[in-house]
Amino acid sequence: MEKKTVWFSALRHVAPADYELWLESLAAEGWNINRVGQTSSTYMVFTKTEAKQYRYVFDLNAFPTEDYFNTYTQFGWECIGHMSSCYIWRKAYSGVRPEAFSDRESRVRRNKRVKTVLLICFSFLLLAIAAAAVGIGVAAWRGEIGDCAALGVNIVLFGLLAGYLWWAARQIDRHMEE
């Protein structure tokens, strides 16, 4: 059985609509995933099968209720798992691509939830950068140059991650209504 591992897919396809279309294009090529788990944001293993036409849905729901699952399954959706609070649903179809969200406002709300999570993480990174900067000041005052260098590296890494999160939030803005 042929397998394909994809690394950091959630980091490359940050807008929910982009992630859904990426999964759908792989299924159309015959690369299918049967289970999404906590490690799927880091790596996903796809199995080569016959090409399938699936509609995927990426839905952030931190506190899903039984009604949440019942509503999707009642309309023929299959939950293939979740990464943290992001549930991945799919539905086989032919003809018109099915919608999981009943209207534009529902899609916008979903995208705003994802963007809010990214911006909260961005804010925490800014706080970490500020704390490291204060730490550099204290270490410099004490003459601990090694600590200054280590904290400087942390600032650079946190800054890169914060920049990525800002970029990701902008990508979601570009696809807010999709």
Side-chain angles (χ1 to χ4, degrees):
M1 185 178 306
E2 194 175 350
K3 294 191 182 243
K4 170 183 187 170
T5 301
V6 177
W7 292 89
F8 304 110
S9 63
L11 297 177
R12 291 186 283 152
H13 308 281
V14 294
D18 287 346
Y19 200 77
E20 293 165 356
L21 290 173
W22 172 72
L23 288 170
E24 290 170 26
S25 69
L26 286 174
E29 295 171 8
W31 292 105
N32 289 289
I33 188 161
N34 290 320
R35 172 128 172 59
V36 172
Q38 293 303 333
T39 59
S40 295
S41 59
T42 306
Y43 70 94
M44 297 177 97
V45 178
F46 293 84
T47 305
K48 187 68 171 171
T49 65
E50 65 183 62
K52 297 184 180 180
Q53 192 171 24
Y54 282 122
R55 166 65 161 105
Y56 281 91
V57 173
F58 176 103
D59 193 19
L60 177 69
N61 191 329
F63 305 104
T65 63
E66 191 172 319
D67 286 343
Y68 172 77
F69 293 103
N70 288 341
T71 299
Y72 268 102
T73 55
Q74 177 183 354
F75 288 99
W77 293 89
E78 170 192 10
C79 182
I80 60 170
H82 63 96
M83 303 174 277
S84 189
S85 298
C86 300
Y87 287 83
I88 307 296
W89 296 88
R90 77 175 169 199
K91 183 177 188 178
Y93 72 97
S94 61
V96 177
R97 185 176 181 245
E99 281 298 327
F101 298 100
S102 58
D103 56 11
R104 182 182 91 48
E105 289 80 24
S106 298
R107 286 189 305 276
V108 169
R109 276 195 309 273
R110 181 264 317 255
N111 291 336
K112 283 183 178 180
R113 285 192 309 267
V114 174
K115 180 182 171 186
T116 298
V117 169
L118 291 175
L119 291 177
I120 289 169
C121 293
F122 173 79
S123 299
F124 280 120
L125 282 170
L126 290 182
L127 288 173
I129 290 169
V134 169
I136 286 175
V138 170
W141 178 69
R142 291 181 173 177
E144 298 168 345
I145 302 304
D147 289 345
C148 289
L151 288 168
V153 169
N154 285 334
I155 287 175
V156 169
L157 293 175
F158 291 160
L160 290 171
L161 187 53
Y164 168 78
L165 291 174
W166 184 255
W167 171 82
R170 300 298 304 148
Q171 294 301 308
I172 292 171
D173 272 345
R174 287 184 42 222
H175 299 279
M176 187 58 72
E177 296 187 14
E178 294 176 9

